[in-house]
Protein backbone atom coordinates (compact mmCIF):
# COMPACT_ATOMS: atom_id res chain seq x y z
CA UNK A 1 0.00 0.00 0.00
CA UNK A 2 1.11 3.54 -0.67
CA UNK A 3 -0.14 6.63 1.11
CA UNK A 4 0.12 9.96 -0.70
CA UNK A 5 -0.03 12.92 1.67
CA UNK A 6 1.01 16.50 0.85
CA UNK A 7 2.87 15.36 -2.27
CA UNK A 8 4.91 12.71 -0.46
CA UNK A 9 4.62 8.94 -0.71
CA UNK A 10 4.99 6.56 2.18
CA UNK A 11 4.99 2.82 1.61
CA UNK A 12 3.43 0.31 3.93
CA UNK A 13 4.44 -3.14 2.74
CA UNK A 14 2.44 -6.19 3.60
CA UNK A 15 3.33 -9.68 2.61
CA UNK A 16 1.30 -12.75 3.15
CA UNK A 17 -1.21 -15.16 1.81
CA UNK A 18 -3.78 -14.23 -0.80
CA UNK A 19 -6.80 -12.50 0.67
CA UNK A 20 -9.77 -14.83 0.83
CA UNK A 21 -7.86 -17.87 -0.36
CA UNK A 22 -7.87 -19.64 2.98
CA UNK A 23 -10.14 -19.52 5.99
CA UNK A 24 -9.10 -18.52 9.50
CA UNK A 25 -5.81 -16.78 8.76
CA UNK A 26 -4.46 -13.80 10.64
CA UNK A 27 -3.30 -10.85 8.56
CA UNK A 28 -0.99 -8.04 9.57
CA UNK A 29 -2.30 -4.63 10.55
CA UNK A 30 -0.99 -1.12 10.07
CA UNK A 31 -2.29 1.89 11.98
CA UNK A 32 -2.29 5.09 9.97
CA UNK A 33 -3.34 8.64 10.74
CA UNK A 34 -5.14 10.05 7.72
CA UNK A 35 -5.97 13.67 6.93
CA UNK A 36 -8.37 15.27 4.43
CA UNK A 37 -6.85 15.09 0.96
CA UNK A 38 -4.72 12.02 1.71
CA UNK A 39 -4.97 9.20 -0.78
CA UNK A 40 -4.16 5.54 -0.33
CA UNK A 41 -3.53 2.95 -3.02
CA UNK A 42 -3.65 -0.79 -2.54
CA UNK A 43 -2.38 -2.79 -5.51
CA UNK A 44 -1.37 -6.24 -6.57
CA UNK A 45 2.12 -7.11 -7.69
CA UNK A 46 1.01 -7.33 -11.31
CA UNK A 47 0.95 -3.52 -11.47
CA UNK A 48 4.66 -3.17 -10.71
CA UNK A 49 5.99 -6.41 -12.17
CA UNK A 50 4.96 -5.88 -15.80
CA UNK A 51 8.06 -6.07 -17.99
CA UNK A 52 8.97 -3.52 -20.62
CA UNK A 53 10.45 -4.64 -23.93
CA UNK A 54 13.97 -4.32 -22.46
CA UNK A 55 13.00 -6.70 -19.63
CA UNK A 56 12.78 -4.08 -16.88
CA UNK A 57 9.82 -4.14 -14.51
CA UNK A 58 7.61 -1.08 -14.07
CA UNK A 59 8.71 -1.01 -10.44
CA UNK A 60 7.57 0.56 -7.21
CA UNK A 61 9.69 3.71 -7.67
CA UNK A 62 8.09 4.46 -11.02
CA UNK A 63 4.63 3.83 -9.60
CA UNK A 64 5.40 6.22 -6.73
CA UNK A 65 6.40 8.97 -9.17
CA UNK A 66 3.26 8.46 -11.25
CA UNK A 67 1.06 8.67 -8.16
CA UNK A 68 2.63 11.90 -6.93
CA UNK A 69 2.80 13.62 -10.32
CA UNK A 70 -0.89 13.08 -10.99
CA UNK A 71 -2.20 13.51 -7.43
CA UNK A 72 -3.90 16.82 -8.31
CA UNK A 73 -6.35 14.98 -10.58
CA UNK A 74 -9.80 13.93 -9.35
CA UNK A 75 -9.66 10.44 -7.85
CA UNK A 76 -11.14 8.54 -10.82
CA UNK A 77 -8.85 10.28 -13.30
CA UNK A 78 -5.93 9.68 -10.93
CA UNK A 79 -6.60 5.94 -11.00
CA UNK A 80 -7.04 5.88 -14.78
CA UNK A 81 -3.86 7.92 -15.28
CA UNK A 82 -1.91 5.64 -12.95
CA UNK A 83 -3.02 2.50 -14.77
CA UNK A 84 -2.36 4.07 -18.19
CA UNK A 85 1.16 5.21 -17.30
CA UNK A 86 2.15 2.11 -15.38
CA UNK A 87 1.19 -0.16 -18.25
CA UNK A 88 2.01 2.08 -21.26
CA UNK A 89 5.58 0.86 -21.72
CA UNK A 90 4.63 -2.72 -20.98
CA UNK A 91 1.75 -3.20 -23.38
CA UNK A 92 -1.12 -5.60 -22.84
CA UNK A 93 0.77 -8.54 -24.33
CA UNK A 94 3.62 -8.33 -21.81
CA UNK A 95 1.47 -8.33 -18.68
CA UNK A 96 2.23 -11.53 -16.84
CA UNK A 97 -0.09 -11.16 -13.87
CA UNK A 98 -3.43 -9.68 -12.93
CA UNK A 99 -3.60 -6.01 -12.02
CA UNK A 100 -5.77 -4.74 -9.21
CA UNK A 101 -5.69 -1.19 -7.91
CA UNK A 102 -7.93 0.12 -5.14
CA UNK A 103 -7.76 3.81 -4.31
CA UNK A 104 -9.35 5.91 -1.61
CA UNK A 105 -9.33 9.57 -0.77
CA UNK A 106 -9.94 11.04 2.65
CA UNK A 107 -12.61 13.73 2.44
Amino acid sequence: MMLISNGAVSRHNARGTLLGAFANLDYGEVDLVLFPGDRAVLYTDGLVEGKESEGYETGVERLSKILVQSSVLPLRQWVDNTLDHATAQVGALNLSDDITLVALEVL
Side-chain angles (χ1 to χ4, degrees):
M1 180 189 95
M2 291 188 201
L3 177 65
I4 294 79
S5 182
N6 292 322
V9 174
S10 59
R11 290 187 213 126
H12 304 274
N13 295 328
R15 299 203 178 268
T17 306
L18 299 167
L19 288 175
F22 305 99
N24 303 320
L25 290 179
D26 291 326
Y27 294 95
E29 296 180 19
V30 175
D31 291 327
L32 299 172
V33 177
L34 302 174
F35 299 97
D38 288 353
R39 291 180 172 180
V41 175
L42 294 92
Y43 58 93
T44 58
D45 58 351
L47 186 63
V48 294
E49 292 178 355
K51 294 198 187 310
E52 299 177 4
S53 58
E54 295 83 24
Y56 299 108
E57 292 181 347
T58 300
V60 175
E61 290 300 322
R62 182 172 177 208
L63 177 61
S64 296
K65 288 178 186 176
I66 294 166
L67 291 169
V68 170
Q69 290 171 349
S70 60
S71 64
V72 296
L73 295 173
L75 188 64
R76 179 61 197 197
Q77 290 177 337
W78 185 60
V79 169
D80 290 343
N81 182 72
T82 300
L83 290 171
D84 289 347
H85 280 83
T87 59
Q89 296 295 322
V90 176
L93 296 178
N94 290 325
L95 294 175
S96 59
D97 200 353
D98 64 294
I99 292 177
T100 301
L101 187 147
V102 177
L104 64 92
E105 180 174 28
V106 179
L107 300 176

